[in-house]
Amino acid sequence: MPHVISDLNEIRAQVLAWRAAGQRVGLVPTMGALHAGHVSLVSASAAECDRTVATIFVNPMQFGPSEDFSRYPRNLDRDLELLAGTKTDVVFAPATDKMYAAGHASYVGVERVTERWEGAIRPTHFRGVATIVLKLFNIAPADIAYFGQKDYQQTVVIRRMVADLNVSIQIRVCPTVREPDGLAMSSRNVYLNPDERRRALVLPESLREAADAAAGGERDAAKIARQMRQRIESTAGVSLDYAAVVDPRTLEELTEITGGAIALVAARLGSTRLIDNMWLGIAGSGDGGPGSVKPAASPP
Ligand code: AMP
């Protein structure tokens, strides 16, 4: 089992001691309920860092009042068992009242790239994400932090924050890990009943169709987005929040694909909300994994 630290001063001292000894430290922030997607971030860290810190903290600040904070899956023992099979050196799992001490009144606000898509539907979400991520970077000042492409807009927001606030950490974005049938792995997939789980496949399927269309030479971004929307909207039991083809840096909707483009989707199945995305490219497409040619975008 990896060593668990809950104390903020202790994790900071540990990370600083490793760095003082010339070791490179990787940080993998998570909310627990770990799966192979999280493990891939740990593997990416272990491949280029001497030490890997995984953090497990269900951050109340990034959940809206009517969202799933209280029912979000939590199982530290199971998470530790999963991490025992990885090269995680330490798990940082703080208590909520230590992360947000009485009187906490500071927030990180990132503008523009937070306005659309997830930000439009979850108005305080990215404020919570940016705040906790900056706090984690300060508490565990690693060399490199690892995030998943699965939450694409989040990676754009974090890169923007790191660039704007001169945070001394490198950001890596790792490909989305999928179930064998294509559904993006997510801690929220456990909410889906078998029927919803089947219907959820329309998300990766519509993205794959979009990527295939772009790879086949379709340049009309609005047309590709319309096809995704039609396909999702015509699936019973799936309620579309958005499907769009956007500029990977600004997240603004594209009319024509001339360079990098990314397709974003979000939909609800019953009380479960899922998001997914895929690169659309002229020379290739996909998740940034094998066969893909699109690197993760740097800030606008
Ligand atoms: P979460 O615990 O859901 O907040 O996610 C923690 C980190 O894991 C974030 O950087 C996510 O983007 C990443 N992540 C979640 N699901 C996947 C996945 N299927 N593939 C790759 N990374 C993922």
Side-chain angles (χ1 to χ4, degrees):
M1 292 285 170
H3 180 47
V4 181
I5 293 178
S6 60
D7 185 77
L8 279 61
N9 293 320
E10 191 181 341
I11 189 69
R12 191 175 154 79
Q14 176 64 86
V15 170
L16 291 175
W18 281 329
R19 292 190 65 179
Q23 298 189 332
R24 189 189 280 195
V25 180
L27 184 72
V28 179
T30 83
M31 297 206 298
L34 301 181
H35 50 66
H38 300 111
V39 170
S40 77
L41 304 183
V42 169
S43 303
S45 170
E48 66 174 332
C49 297
D50 304 296
R51 300 287 184 174
T52 296
V53 179
T55 78
I56 296 180
F57 181 66
V58 185
N59 174 34
M61 201 194 280
Q62 71 189 67
F63 290 79
S66 59
E67 293 180 3
D68 58 345
F69 175 68
S70 55
R71 75 161 176 158
Y72 197 83
R74 294 164 171 86
N75 192 337
L76 185 60
D77 290 340
R78 205 195 134 271
D79 289 344
L80 294 178
E81 264 171 43
L82 187 62
L83 291 175
T86 71
K87 291 187 174 158
T88 305
D89 291 281
V90 160
V91 173
F92 175 55
T96 307
D97 62 349
K98 293 292 186 298
M99 286 301 273
Y100 295 112
H104 190 285
S106 302
Y107 303 88
V108 180
V110 179
E111 298 188 354
R112 290 203 300 281
V113 291
T114 57
E115 282 161 14
R116 289 164 221 267
W117 319 122
E118 286 307 284
I121 289 166
R122 310 179 69 190
T124 59
H125 174 65
F126 286 120
R127 182 176 89 150
V129 168
T131 302
I132 194 66
V133 169
L134 185 60
K135 282 165 73 71
L136 289 170
F137 288 174
N138 284 328
I139 294 163
D143 296 271
I144 309 176
Y146 296 82
F147 295 90
Q149 189 195 310
K150 162 72 172 39
D151 299 276
Y152 183 74
Q153 189 172 8
Q154 170 171 283
T155 68
V156 175
V157 172
I158 290 166
R159 285 184 187 280
R160 184 77 264 162
M161 174 187 79
V162 164
D164 290 350
L165 301 183
N166 311 93
V167 186
S168 179
I169 194 163
Q170 294 178 61
I171 303 298
R172 300 271 192 271
V173 177
C174 302
T176 301
V177 176
R178 296 177 180 280
E179 300 286 357
D181 63 7
L183 185 68
M185 289 196 177
S186 164
S187 306
R188 291 188 166 97
N189 290 350
V190 298
Y191 299 151
L192 300 169
N193 67 35
D195 186 48
E196 291 166 342
R197 172 67 182 74
R198 262 192 307 278
R199 293 170 198 267
L201 287 180
V202 71
L203 270 66
E205 284 169 5
S206 64
L207 289 168
R208 173 47 59 198
E209 231 169 59
D212 288 347
E218 180 60 72
R219 295 286 157 263
D220 184 341
K223 183 176 168 193
I224 293 177
R226 204 165 49 242
Q227 281 167 350
M228 286 198 299
R229 278 195 286 271
Q230 278 166 0
R231 174 141 191 203
I232 297 169
E233 280 172 338
S234 65
T235 305
V238 182
S239 173
L240 180 70
D241 277 345
Y242 59 79
V245 175
V246 308
D247 180 304
R249 289 165 180 251
T250 63
L251 302 178
E252 282 170 23
E253 216 160 355
L254 292 171
T255 48
E256 194 189 355
I257 300 176
T258 52
I262 191 157
L264 307 176
V265 296
R268 282 164 287 123
L269 295 97
S271 57
T272 307
R273 197 166 171 280
L274 300 180
I275 59 171
D276 199 353
N277 66 79
M278 209 172 275
W279 284 100
L280 310 182
I282 289 167
S285 61
D287 287 331
S292 167
V293 296
K294 293 291 166 198
S298 50

